[in-house]
Amino acid sequence: MVKDLAVDMEPFFEKWRRAHGFFDPGETPPDDFAAVPPDSPERQEVDAGIECINCGVCYAACDLVAWNPDYLGPAALNRAWTLVNDVRDRGQAARLAAVAGDAGCHSCHSHMSCTEHCPKALQPTFAIAGLKRETGKAALRRLWRRE
């Protein structure tokens, strides 16, 4: 008898949590969130990844996920990129630190499999490239503060 296929999504969502893929309002959030107009540059930067439905297709298509079980994967990194660009979020420093490690954005080989297979036509590879730039800038800022 043939049964339905069930996929264990726990590793997928655990990596999402490790990448700090959740909104952080800060210790003292404002009474009212900042309004972000849809046509503003801040919102347009977020729009590229906000439509992710967390289906896991990009994660399954990623060669690096198969080779390195610690790699956060394109969906988690896409979500981190979306939140790094959310002007209302206060968790950028912790999030950038979380995605900068050995299993984070710098491990991506840019094969573009995630982008090629995304059913929503999103581009996680470009979100990961954005994280690479931002983690590099954060590292330089830390070095300049030490001097």
Side-chain angles (χ1 to χ4, degrees):
M1 179 187 244
V2 176
K3 299 273 183 175
D4 288 339
L5 174 64
V7 177
D8 180 9
M9 295 292 285
E10 182 55 32
F12 173 84
F13 287 111
E14 176 54 33
K15 291 176 182 183
W16 212 70
R17 285 187 289 273
R18 284 184 23 222
H20 291 249
F22 46 86
F23 184 80
D24 181 354
E27 289 188 27
T28 55
D31 291 334
D32 194 18
F33 284 118
V36 182
D39 59 346
S40 69
E42 294 86 3
R43 176 57 194 254
Q44 290 174 359
E45 194 66 44
V46 172
D47 277 347
I50 204 166
E51 298 298 324
C52 178
I53 58 173
N54 296 311
C55 64
V57 171
C58 63
Y59 182 81
C62 179
D63 295 334
L64 192 54
V65 168
W67 299 332
N68 180 358
D70 293 329
Y71 178 57
L72 293 172
L77 294 171
N78 181 70
R79 177 62 179 166
W81 176 243
T82 300
L83 289 167
V84 162
N85 287 290
D86 189 332
V87 296
R88 305 164 302 166
D89 187 84
R90 300 294 175 252
Q92 276 83 357
R95 189 170 297 108
L96 288 174
V99 302
D102 290 340
C105 61
H106 296 285
S107 292
C108 175
H109 294 166
S110 301
H111 288 169
M112 305 278 296
S113 295
C114 56
T115 296
E116 182 180 328
H117 291 90
C118 178
K120 297 288 286 179
L122 302 180
Q123 299 179 339
T125 305
F126 297 113
I128 295 168
L131 285 174
K132 289 176 180 180
R133 286 190 304 274
E134 290 303 314
T135 56
K137 289 177 189 176
L140 288 174
R141 283 191 296 271
R142 284 191 305 273
L143 284 174
W144 286 331
R145 278 188 245 147
R146 288 185 193 164
E147 294 176 3

